[in-house]
Amino acid sequence: MSSFKANIQKLGRAMLLPVAAMPLAGLIMRLSADDMLNIPVIGAAGNAVFGNLDILFAIGVTIGFAKTKDKGIPALTGFLAIATLKKGLEIMNPAVSMGIFGGIISGLVAAWTYNRFKNQKLPMVFSYFAGEKFPLTMVMILQTITAVVFGFIWPIIQTGIDSFAKLLVDMGAFGVGIFMFLNRLLIPFGLHHVLNTYVYYDLGSYTSPSGEVFRGEMTRFINGDPQAGLFLSGFFVVMMFGIPAICLAIYRAAFKENKEMVKGIMGSGAATSFIANITEPVEFSFMFISPMLYVVHAFFAGLAGFVCYLFNIRIGFTFGACIVDYLINFRIATNAILILPIGLVFFALYYFTFYYLIKKRNIPTLGREVATEFGTETIEEEEKELTLASKNYEYMAKKLLDAFGGAGNIADAYSCNTRLRVEVLDSSVVNEQRIKQLGVSGIIKPTEKNYQVIVGLEVTYIMAEFDKLIENQG
């Protein structure tokens, strides 16, 4: 079970790699449209991304699971895996289209093939094809078999997936509400990406005037499907109004002597959500302190999706459900103006509910907690540097690595949008209290040897320094 959880975490992380290419692709596709700049050659770059999602996911998943620092050969293995599968399916059953699921399966097969055969020895005459090159041969053989198998069984699986999608769609507002509720609820476990992937990139089908077929709420909306966007519109209410309201409630509920500090942190959190669609720094500031508050938040998110569906609001995003996508996609959306009054209502709902619960139940949110003393080993000069606010990312990375037991205790380390994810060899030497002293938003331990440190947008810079330290000490 522990291994299963760890692999699910890796799968969620691997899916973020191809997603990184989508915000800009979506923006340029929208800006190059006929009703805006009308420059098709710019839009072609966006189509290159959204027209090859299966390939991107195959490469991303392979890189995520390949056990090596140099990801070049694994990436090529992932490409060969999806290319072989697609060509094989064309022969087996031309009607089969596995979409991103084909990419994910290909990535998993490619990663397993690479990890299993990367050190393969061959007779001297074939030595050129041995070692890291051997998986390139093996993956084509394995994926040919995969194509034969899925040529027979995928129509059955696809029927099941379509039934699930139809169930969500047939449930109408309730289906959208359930999706958004689960989307928020799964964030603490890092599994929301798995759920999002299906809805964003595989739910529903749309054939454009040019004859191209697009799947997924996000992809269909960007490519002009007037029916897409119902599953996405509620996120604008949450990101642009709900999260800022939570920030205001936490600030107002803070003790007087802490208000200035909380104002800066929560103000930044509200702006980040409104402008960049990044919510985890705010959500992790209270989800473990008060799971009740977080369930309320998830319920309100589901309610936002429910209400937006009832008002037939259809608007999508690629950069995120923030002011950027709202303004750019406003002209092709349906009833997008209603996001504003609905958002104001939810702002009030979020604010008064959170403020009341924090005060009534004396929840120790930011600015209300009992001060935690640094350990006796922390000297005064160190305390000045020992926070994210210092922007000394090299120092932060060094202290994090020390708290995890040094480079020799790191089995794997990577980052996503806001989290530093670390797998250790021996969890008994990890100093969790020391990590908390570094000014991070929180720590999640999904399995015995896996940690997720909630850092925020600065995680990219800390991860870069973290990698350097591991490489130098390794």
Side-chain angles (χ1 to χ4, degrees):
M1 180 58 69
S2 178
S3 177
F4 175 76
K5 290 180 180 178
N7 285 328
I8 290 295
Q9 295 291 329
K10 283 188 177 182
L11 181 60
R13 168 251 184 159
M15 289 180 178
L16 290 176
L17 295 177
V19 169
M22 295 177 195
L24 179 60
L27 289 175
I28 61 178
M29 282 183 67
R30 180 70 194 104
L31 290 173
S32 65
D34 295 345
D35 61 331
M36 297 194 78
L37 299 180
N38 192 23
I39 308 178
V41 69
I42 297 178
N47 279 316
V49 172
F50 286 99
N52 295 288
L53 289 180
D54 53 354
I55 296 176
L56 292 177
F57 274 95
I59 294 173
V61 171
T62 307
I63 290 174
F65 281 89
K67 297 177 181 178
T68 179
K69 288 185 178 180
D70 185 354
K71 304 293 187 178
I73 297 294
L76 180 57
T77 306
F79 173 78
L80 286 175
I82 183 62
T84 303
L85 177 65
K86 291 174 72 173
K87 287 298 182 182
L89 288 174
E90 287 179 9
I91 302 299
M92 290 298 301
N93 189 343
V96 170
S97 176
M98 294 182 67
I100 60 163
F101 289 102
I104 294 170
I105 291 169
S106 296
L108 292 173
V109 172
W112 180 87
T113 305
Y114 177 82
N115 295 333
R116 173 64 178 80
F117 295 105
K118 64 181 177 181
N119 297 317
Q120 183 69 40
K121 290 181 170 52
L122 296 174
M124 190 60 64
V125 67
F126 299 115
S127 61
Y128 175 78
F129 303 100
E132 273 200 321
K133 300 185 187 73
F134 192 63
L136 300 177
T137 300
M138 286 302 300
V139 78
M140 289 187 285
I141 297 173
L142 292 175
Q143 282 296 86
T144 298
I145 298 172
T146 303
V148 172
V149 172
F150 278 96
F152 288 108
I153 70 172
W154 186 255
I156 301 172
I157 297 174
Q158 186 64 56
T159 299
I161 294 174
D162 289 342
S163 296
F164 172 72
K166 188 175 184 299
L167 176 64
L168 280 180
V169 173
D170 288 347
M171 290 177 70
F174 286 103
V176 175
I178 290 171
F179 162 66
M180 288 201 59
F181 172 74
L182 293 176
N183 171 273
R184 293 294 96 185
L185 205 63
L186 290 174
I187 283 180
F189 309 102
L191 301 179
H192 56 300
H193 299 299
V194 179
L195 177 66
N196 292 348
T197 298
Y198 172 71
V199 174
Y200 291 176
Y201 311 120
D202 208 67
L203 179 64
S205 178
Y206 168 68
T207 303
S208 68
S210 64
E212 290 185 87
V213 178
F214 298 97
R215 298 186 64 85
E217 278 281 285
M218 184 186 295
T219 311
R220 289 189 291 113
F221 178 83
I222 293 299
N223 285 279
D225 184 359
Q227 302 303 313
L230 283 173
F231 278 80
L232 306 179
S233 57
F235 285 107
F236 287 90
V237 173
V238 176
M239 311 309 178
M240 292 170 55
F241 297 93
I243 296 297
I246 293 174
C247 293
L248 179 60
I250 292 176
Y251 164 70
R252 290 291 309 281
F255 297 143
K256 185 177 180 180
E257 63 271 20
N258 296 327
K259 280 190 178 291
E260 199 60 33
M261 178 270 292
V262 176
K263 179 181 179 180
I265 296 175
M266 288 294 108
S268 174
T272 301
S273 178
F274 187 80
I275 298 171
N277 189 58
I278 301 296
T279 64
E280 288 182 324
V282 175
E283 290 167 327
F284 276 95
S285 74
F286 67 86
M287 68 167 56
F288 296 112
I289 293 172
S290 175
M292 177 199 66
L293 277 182
Y294 194 75
V295 172
V296 169
H297 169 44
F299 175 77
F300 283 172
L303 184 61
F306 181 90
V307 171
C308 287
Y309 184 98
L310 293 180
F311 282 91
N312 192 34
I313 302 174
R314 302 170 187 264
I315 182 171
F317 53 81
T318 53
F319 183 78
C322 56
I323 189 62
V324 176
D325 261 298
Y326 180 75
L327 295 175
I328 289 178
N329 294 323
F330 187 88
R331 294 177 64 179
I332 61 172
T334 301
N335 297 328
I337 191 65
L338 296 179
I339 291 286
L340 301 181
I342 292 174
L344 291 174
V345 172
F346 270 85
F347 183 94
L349 178 63
Y350 263 100
Y351 170 73
F352 287 113
T353 302
F354 269 68
Y355 182 78
Y356 171 79
L357 290 174
I358 291 171
K359 298 284 283 187
K360 180 71 174 178
R361 294 179 173 269
N362 195 27
I363 298 172
T365 50
L366 188 64
R368 294 175 59 84
E369 65 280 290
V370 177
T372 301
E373 297 294 332
F374 282 84
T376 55
E377 74 280 8
T378 306
I379 59 176
E380 181 179 353
E381 291 78 7
E382 190 177 34
E383 290 179 16
K384 294 178 182 179
E385 295 293 333
L386 214 52
T387 64
L388 281 171
S390 70
K391 305 298 183 185
N392 191 338
Y393 303 122
E394 181 180 0
Y395 193 87
M396 281 285 298
K398 181 179 183 299
K399 291 303 175 184
L400 278 168
L401 186 58
D402 290 343
F404 277 115
N409 195 38
I410 305 299
D412 193 14
Y414 50 89
S415 64
C416 58
N417 290 343
T418 58
R419 309 181 193 188
L420 177 66
R421 303 185 181 213
V422 179
E423 181 182 350
V424 299
L425 299 174
D426 182 3
S427 60
S428 67
V429 301
V430 177
N431 189 338
E432 295 184 27
Q433 182 60 32
R434 188 68 162 164
I435 296 172
K436 294 175 182 177
Q437 291 173 350
L438 298 177
V440 301
S441 298
I443 305 174
I444 302 174
K445 193 176 180 182
T447 68
E448 181 63 27
K449 295 183 178 181
N450 285 270
Y451 294 82
Q452 296 179 14
V453 182
I454 316 306
V455 175
L457 296 176
E458 295 150 309
V459 70
T460 300
Y461 309 117
I462 293 176
M463 187 70 242
E465 299 297 333
F466 200 82
D467 279 338
K468 289 178 186 177
L469 290 170
I470 292 176
E471 185 174 347
N472 292 336
Q473 295 180 22

